[in-house]
Amino acid sequence: MLDPIKQMKIEKAIRRAPMLSPSTLKVLELTSGPDPDLDEIIHIVRHDAPLTARLLRVVNSAAFGLLKEVTSVERAVTYLGIRTVVSTALATNLSALYDKPLEGYESEKGSLWDHSLFCALASRAIAQRARGELSADTAFTAGLLHDIGKAVISELLQGSTKNILDQLDEGAVEDYLSAERSLVGMDHAQVGQLLAKTWKIPPSLQEPILHHHRPGRAAEAQQPLTHAVHLGDILAMMGGQGTGSDSMQYRLDPGYSEYFAIDEDDLARILLEVTDEFQKLKTSLENL
C-alpha cells in the first residue's frame, strides 16, 4: 500500500501538470483508433486557432522548403500527415511539461521532448512491420506519450540519482523502476498512467504508458502496441536520445519478435532511418 505522504506528494505534482485542451484530447482519441479520419482531424484543427496557426507555420517552414505558401488547414494537414499534427498539438499544449529540465534524472531542458519524439517515430516504423494489424499512427501517438510520468515524478527524485545508480550497481534493486518505487512510492510509468487518466486519455494509450518497460504485462489486445513502444523507447536511447540517468538502464523484452518481423539488421536500418526523420521533424517543429 502506498505511503499516504508519498501519495499526497504524487497527487499534488499531478495537479500541477498542465491539462490537455479539448482539441488536443480529441486528436489523441482519433489517433488511438486503427483508422484515423483525416477529415475529422482537419475539422478539429480548423476550430482551434492557435493549433491552426502553428501548423501553418510548420508546413511553411524552411524544413519543408515548399515553393508555394500553404494557407489552408486542409492542405497543411494533408501534406504534413497525422504524425506532425499530433506532434504539433502536444508541443503546443504541453510545452511546459515536455520542455522543462528533468532534474530528478539530471537531464537538460527539452530532453524529454526529443526522447519522446524519437521514440514515437521509431514506434511508428516498428508498427509498419507488424505481423498483424497495428496502426502506425497509433504507435506514433503512444510513443509521444509513453514517458509523460517523468515530467511529474522528476521533482520528487531530485538529488537521488547517485543513490539509485548505487542501488543498481549493488544489485539492491531489480531495475530503475524498482528504485523509483522505493524512493517515491510509484515509478514514472505508474505516475504517467495516473496523469493520462486525469487527462481522460483513451485506455488503449494508457497501456503502453504503464507497461512500456514491461510490455508482457499489458492487456492482451494492447500487447503489439506496447511492444512497439517498448522497442521504440530502447531505440531512442540507443540513438542518443535518452532522458538522463536512466538511459540504457532497462532490459529489452525479446517478446517483440512475436509481433514484428524484425531482425537485428532491420533494427539497425530503422535506427538510421528514424535518426534522419527525427532531425527533419524536430527542425520543422522548432520555434513554435
Side-chain angles (χ1 to χ4, degrees):
M1 185 174 179
L2 183 60
D3 178 272
I5 295 177
K6 290 181 178 179
Q7 182 174 353
M8 182 178 65
K9 288 181 178 179
I10 292 170
E11 290 174 351
K12 186 176 179 180
I14 288 176
R15 285 197 298 271
R16 286 197 295 269
M19 293 300 293
L20 286 181
S21 68
S23 58
T24 299
L25 179 58
K26 188 62 178 175
V27 167
L28 294 180
E29 289 174 350
L30 288 172
T31 56
S32 69
D35 189 21
D37 189 320
L38 203 60
D39 288 336
E40 284 192 57
I41 292 174
I42 290 171
H43 176 77
I44 293 166
V45 173
R46 189 186 290 118
H47 289 84
D48 185 321
L51 182 54
T52 292
R54 283 162 174 78
L55 277 175
L56 291 175
R57 196 180 306 166
V58 169
V59 76
N60 289 305
S61 68
F64 289 100
L66 299 182
L67 297 177
K68 187 176 180 180
E69 183 181 17
V70 174
T71 58
S72 74
V73 171
E74 290 83 356
R75 284 194 62 203
V77 172
T78 301
Y79 181 82
L80 293 173
I82 289 174
R83 63 185 181 278
T84 307
V85 174
V86 175
S87 302
T88 304
L90 285 176
T92 301
N93 192 173
L94 300 177
S95 60
L97 184 148
Y98 277 111
D99 287 343
K100 73 176 186 179
L102 298 180
E103 296 176 353
Y105 296 87
E106 298 188 352
S107 185
E108 62 186 18
K109 181 179 184 293
S111 63
L112 177 60
W113 175 249
D114 288 349
H115 171 73
S116 301
L117 187 59
F118 197 108
C119 175
L121 292 167
S123 301
R124 184 177 188 274
I126 291 161
Q128 290 171 335
R129 294 163 170 81
R131 298 186 188 276
E133 290 188 11
L134 178 60
S135 167
D137 290 318
T138 301
F140 180 88
T141 300
L144 272 182
L145 294 168
H146 79 287
D147 257 350
I148 54 173
K150 285 184 178 178
V152 175
I153 202 175
S154 174
E155 62 185 85
L156 306 178
L157 291 171
Q158 286 187 48
S160 62
T161 298
K162 185 179 185 303
N163 182 11
I164 291 177
L165 294 178
D166 285 345
Q167 288 187 59
L168 288 169
D169 288 341
E170 296 165 4
V173 292
E174 180 184 358
D175 55 17
Y176 212 97
L177 295 178
S178 300
E180 289 178 349
R181 289 194 297 274
S182 70
L183 291 168
V184 179
M186 300 181 76
D187 58 55
H188 70 267
Q190 293 171 322
V191 172
Q193 189 200 27
L194 280 181
L195 181 57
K197 284 183 176 179
T198 300
W199 285 344
K200 298 185 178 359
I201 284 177
S204 60
L205 294 176
Q206 292 182 30
E207 284 289 295
I209 292 173
L210 178 60
H211 298 297
H212 65 273
H213 289 303
R214 294 168 179 167
R217 297 185 180 184
E220 185 175 353
Q222 302 306 324
Q223 290 266 334
L225 176 60
T226 306
H227 275 87
V229 174
H230 168 72
L231 189 51
D233 182 44
I234 297 291
L235 288 179
M237 289 185 278
M238 290 175 62
Q241 301 301 331
T243 53
S245 57
D246 73 325
S247 292
M248 303 309 296
Q249 295 288 346
Y250 305 99
R251 297 185 182 92
L252 174 63
D253 187 325
Y256 72 85
S257 60
E258 179 181 347
Y259 303 101
F260 307 102
I262 294 176
D263 57 25
E264 289 187 8
D265 290 337
D266 292 322
L267 288 177
R269 280 192 290 271
I270 290 172
L271 188 57
L272 286 173
E273 292 168 4
V274 168
T275 299
D276 291 340
E277 191 176 2
F278 165 76
Q279 292 298 339
K280 180 178 179 179
L281 186 53
K282 181 184 175 183
T283 300
S284 70
L285 292 172
E286 285 177 347
N287 302 317
L288 286 177

